[in-house]
Amino acid sequence: MTEQLLNYQQQGQGEHVVLIHGLFGSLENLNMVAKPLAQEYCVTSVDVANHGNSFHRADMNYSRLALDIIELLDHLKIDVAYVLGHSMGGKIAMQVALEHPQRVKKLIVADIAPVAYPPHHNEIIKGLQSIDFSRVEKRSDADQQLSAYVDDKGVRQFLLRNLALNENKQWAFKCQVDFIAQCYPQIMQANYLPSKENINEPPFLGETLFIKGGNSNYILAEHKAAIATLLPNSKAKIIQGAGHWLHAEKTIAFNKIVTDFLA
C-alpha cells in the first residue's frame, strides 16, 4: 500500500519547525506564526488527516495521527524538528514526542493538556452535518443555517473557512465532517505512553513549553500531574487576556514566547 502523505506547505530556511493546527482548522490557521518563524527557520505547516487538503480516513487515534507526521518528516528527509501544535494539534505534537522522542528537538503545546476532555463540540458537529448544500449559493447561506446551532459569529466564520467550491462549482466542506464526527471520541482522548518493551523507558525528556490563554480553561491546575508524568521537562507561560485562540488573539506576544523558547 502506498503511504498517504499529509498536505503541507514549507517556507524559510534553517532548522526545521513543524506546525500542527487544531480541530476543524487547516495549515492556514497558523500562518501568523509560520511567516515570522520562516525568517529564521524552515517551517513546515501541515493539514491533519480529514482536514484542509489532506487525505480522509476513518481513524483519528493519536498514535496514527503522530505517525502521519513522522511519515511526512521521513518523506521530507527531516531527521529532527521543533514541533508546535495548537489544541488537537498540540495533542498530536505531544504524541509525536512520546512515541518518537528522537525526532523532536523541543516541543511547544498551545492551550491543551495531555488529558481526556468531556465532549464539547457536539452542537458544532451537528450544525456542520445539518447544512443543506443544495440551499447554499454563497457563504452567508451556510452561515445562516449554522447559526441555528452555533451562536458565536467568530466561531462560525472559523468553521466556514472549510467551505470551498468543488469541481462542480458547488459549495462543499474540504474537511471530512462525517469522519471527524465518527472519530470525535478518539479526538477527546488523553495522550498516553505507548507500551514499550523496556518498561523503564522514560517519557519525553526534551524541553517542553505549554502556552496557555489566561481566559481559557483548557489547561487547569489539576492537569499538572498528567503533564509532569508524560513531559517532566516542561514549563508554562500564560498570555493574559487571551482565550483558546491565543495565537490569533495575541499574535505578537505568542510569537515572542515561541521564538524565545526556540532560541
Side-chain angles (χ1 to χ4, degrees):
M1 183 180 115
T2 56
E3 68 181 35
Q4 294 176 294
L5 287 173
L6 297 175
N7 181 56
Y8 70 94
Q9 214 168 53
Q10 212 170 47
Q11 51 188 317
Q13 288 178 311
E15 288 189 285
H16 290 281
V17 179
V18 177
L19 303 182
I20 313 173
H21 65 79
L23 185 60
F24 294 117
S26 73
L27 57 78
E28 291 163 7
N29 293 148
L30 291 166
N31 267 351
M32 70 276 286
V33 183
K35 283 208 171 103
L37 278 178
Q39 291 167 18
E40 289 180 54
Y41 299 91
C42 177
V43 181
T44 304
S45 305
V46 305
D47 281 333
V48 174
N50 296 323
H51 291 73
N53 293 315
S54 278
F55 53 82
H56 299 160
R57 181 184 61 218
D59 179 11
M60 294 186 73
N61 172 301
Y62 281 113
S63 270
R64 181 59 257 186
L65 296 176
L67 194 56
D68 291 338
I69 302 291
I70 294 298
E71 285 171 354
L72 180 64
L73 294 183
D74 289 346
H75 172 76
L76 296 172
K77 299 187 167 42
I78 298 172
D79 293 328
V80 65
Y82 300 107
V83 183
L84 182 159
H86 169 248
S87 200
M88 174 189 74
K91 281 193 165 182
I92 298 170
M94 287 187 276
Q95 202 61 34
V96 171
L98 292 169
E99 295 198 44
H100 311 273
Q102 72 287 0
R103 307 297 291 272
V104 179
K105 193 162 186 182
K106 286 184 183 179
L107 175 65
I108 302 177
V109 181
D111 213 59
I112 197 85
V115 300
Y117 286 87
H120 53 282
H121 298 89
N122 294 343
E123 282 303 297
I124 285 175
I125 291 170
K126 231 187 285 183
L128 293 174
Q129 287 182 311
S130 76
I131 292 176
D132 176 0
F133 281 103
S134 69
R135 292 170 38 226
V136 176
E137 287 178 18
K138 49 191 187 299
R139 260 168 209 278
S140 56
D141 298 334
D143 184 65
Q144 197 174 355
Q145 291 187 46
L146 190 56
S147 67
Y149 295 84
V150 182
D151 292 337
D152 189 314
K153 189 172 172 56
V155 173
R156 292 201 307 274
Q157 282 175 335
F158 164 72
L159 294 167
L160 294 174
R161 285 172 74 172
N162 284 293
L163 280 181
L165 288 167
N166 62 19
E167 60 275 12
N168 304 321
K169 297 282 179 273
Q170 292 165 328
W171 289 101
F173 284 125
K174 284 196 288 187
C175 62
Q176 223 303 347
V177 175
D178 292 337
F179 281 172
I180 292 171
Q182 188 182 324
C183 298
Y184 186 63
Q186 290 179 310
I187 296 165
M188 289 297 103
Q189 280 172 9
N191 288 92
Y192 49 90
L193 262 173
S195 51
K196 293 177 175 168
E197 288 75 43
N198 178 5
I199 201 72
N200 296 318
E201 200 165 321
F204 180 65
L205 297 177
E207 283 184 70
T208 302
L209 176 67
F210 285 84
I211 310 176
K212 170 182 162 53
N215 301 336
S216 168
N217 59 1
Y218 273 78
I219 302 178
L220 300 170
E222 62 252 36
H223 299 153
K224 269 186 180 168
I227 291 169
T229 300
L230 294 176
L231 305 155
N233 191 10
S234 63
K235 56 185 180 181
K237 292 264 186 192
I238 298 174
I239 300 180
Q240 297 301 344
H244 186 55
W245 297 98
L246 61 181
H247 57 283
E249 293 167 40
K250 301 278 185 180
T251 304
I252 292 168
F254 184 88
N255 287 344
K256 183 175 182 343
I257 290 169
V258 169
T259 48
D260 287 353
F261 178 69
L262 294 183

